[in-house]
Amino acid sequence: MASLIPTSAQTTFKAALADHFDTFKATITIHKEPQKTITLAADQNIYAGYSAPKETVTYTPVSKDFTAIINYKENQPLEYQDELKVMIEKGDVRIKVELDCKNYIEKGKTNSIEINGSLFNVVSSDGARFFIGQTYYVYYLEATT
């Protein structure tokens, strides 16, 4: 297949794309479903039919930080909140991430993504963007209300 970019210049363009991502990236935190741990008291002396063993359920938060390029939509769509009688911005955001972040988002259930202290839900599947041998993945997010 023909290319507008000569092979000799592709290395320079790849480096420029990596520099662009490094220059404009920000840290995001991806929150996954918490890990549930059930522990039973070992020193219980119970007889069948009298009571269930006592168990303690603990939830351990699971999250990880990644880098992404974050684009906030300029004209945020408004949604009418009947209870408050006001129009509230939905908070649409687009993030561009690398493969490691995409794999983490896709593995298991992602509860939310935190950007600058605000929480967002993923409302799209990943959209691959190919640039001269580099691949980035785009997700659209919506603010939690």
Side-chain angles (χ1 to χ4, degrees):
M1 183 163 108
S3 175
L4 294 175
I5 301 170
T7 308
S8 60
Q10 286 185 6
T11 307
T12 306
F13 280 108
K14 285 181 185 179
L17 280 172
D19 288 345
H20 175 267
F21 190 86
D22 286 340
T23 301
F24 295 106
K25 69 183 179 186
T27 301
I28 62 173
T29 304
I30 300 173
H31 299 284
K32 302 299 271 184
E33 201 166 39
Q35 182 179 7
K36 182 179 181 179
T37 307
I38 300 173
T39 52
L40 298 173
D43 60 347
Q44 293 183 13
N45 189 6
I46 63 165
Y47 296 100
Y50 282 98
S51 67
K54 294 188 181 193
E55 61 183 38
T56 306
V57 179
T58 29
Y59 292 94
T60 307
V62 178
S63 62
K64 193 170 180 183
D65 290 342
F66 290 94
T67 56
I69 293 180
I70 303 162
N71 293 325
Y72 294 92
K73 193 173 182 182
E74 286 189 32
N75 296 323
Q76 295 288 336
L78 298 175
E79 187 174 89
Y80 186 72
Q81 288 289 333
D82 194 39
E83 300 86 22
L84 302 174
K85 307 288 187 221
V86 295
M87 297 293 280
I88 295 179
E89 290 181 351
K90 287 174 85 174
D92 288 346
V93 174
R94 180 178 70 119
I95 59 171
K96 186 186 297 183
V97 298
E98 295 177 304
L99 181 61
D100 59 341
C101 183
K102 176 228 181 244
N103 290 339
Y104 191 76
I105 291 172
E106 297 295 322
K107 182 182 75 173
K109 182 181 180 205
T110 299
N111 282 349
S112 61
I113 296 179
E114 185 176 344
I115 302 172
N116 297 327
S118 299
L119 294 176
F120 296 86
N121 292 326
V122 178
V123 293
S124 73
S125 57
D126 65 287
R129 304 294 190 265
F130 306 101
F131 303 103
I132 314 167
Q134 300 272 69
T135 304
Y136 296 101
Y137 301 91
V138 173
Y139 288 93
Y140 288 90
L141 312 177
E142 188 175 86
T144 59
T145 54

